[in-house]
C-alpha cells in the first residue's frame, strides 16, 4: 500500500525489503504447495514492488540533483 506522503529513503528501503520477503513466502507456497491464493498475493506484491522501485528511482534521481 503505497502512501503519497513524502517518505525518507530508509522507509522506502524497508518497504522494499518487506515486499521482497512477502513475495518470496507467497511464491514458495504457490510453487511448492500449489496454493492459488498465495500466487495471487505474490502477483499483487510484485506489482506493488514495481511501484516502490519506481519511487526509489525518483528519490535517487532527486538526491543526485542536489
Amino acid at each position: 500500500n503505497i502512501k503519497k506522503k513524502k517518505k525518507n529513503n530508509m522507509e522506502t528501503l524497508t518497504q522494499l525489503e518487506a515486499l521482497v520477503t512477502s513475495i518470496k513466502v507467497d511464491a514458495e507456497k504457490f510453487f511448492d504447495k500449489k496454493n492459488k491464493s498465495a500466487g495471487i498475493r505474490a502477483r499483487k506484491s510484485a506489482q506493488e514492488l514495481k511501484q516502490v522501485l519506481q519511487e526509489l528511482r525518483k528519490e535517487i534521481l532527486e538526491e543526485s540533483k542536489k
Side-chain angles (χ1 to χ4, degrees), residues 1-64:
N1 303 345
I2 297 182
K3 296 175 175 57
K4 295 295 179 186
K5 72 178 183 94
K6 186 76 172 167
K7 298 191 296 187
N8 69 31
N9 300 339
M10 291 309 294
E11 287 175 346
T12 302
L13 294 175
T14 301
Q15 188 177 11
L16 284 173
E17 186 177 19
L19 282 168
V20 169
T21 301
S22 172
I23 291 168
K24 182 177 185 284
V25 169
D26 286 331
E28 287 172 350
K29 286 180 185 177
F30 175 75
F31 289 115
D32 295 342
K33 300 177 183 174
K34 306 300 181 207
N35 182 326
K36 290 184 181 185
S37 295
I40 293 168
R41 288 191 304 272
R43 290 196 322 267
K44 182 180 177 194
S45 293
Q47 185 65 32
E48 190 173 347
L49 178 63
K50 179 182 172 186
Q51 293 170 345
V52 174
L53 284 169
Q54 192 68 19
E55 184 179 320
L56 177 64
R57 187 174 178 270
K58 288 178 187 176
E59 290 174 8
I60 291 170
L61 186 59
E62 285 175 14
E63 190 67 27
S64 70

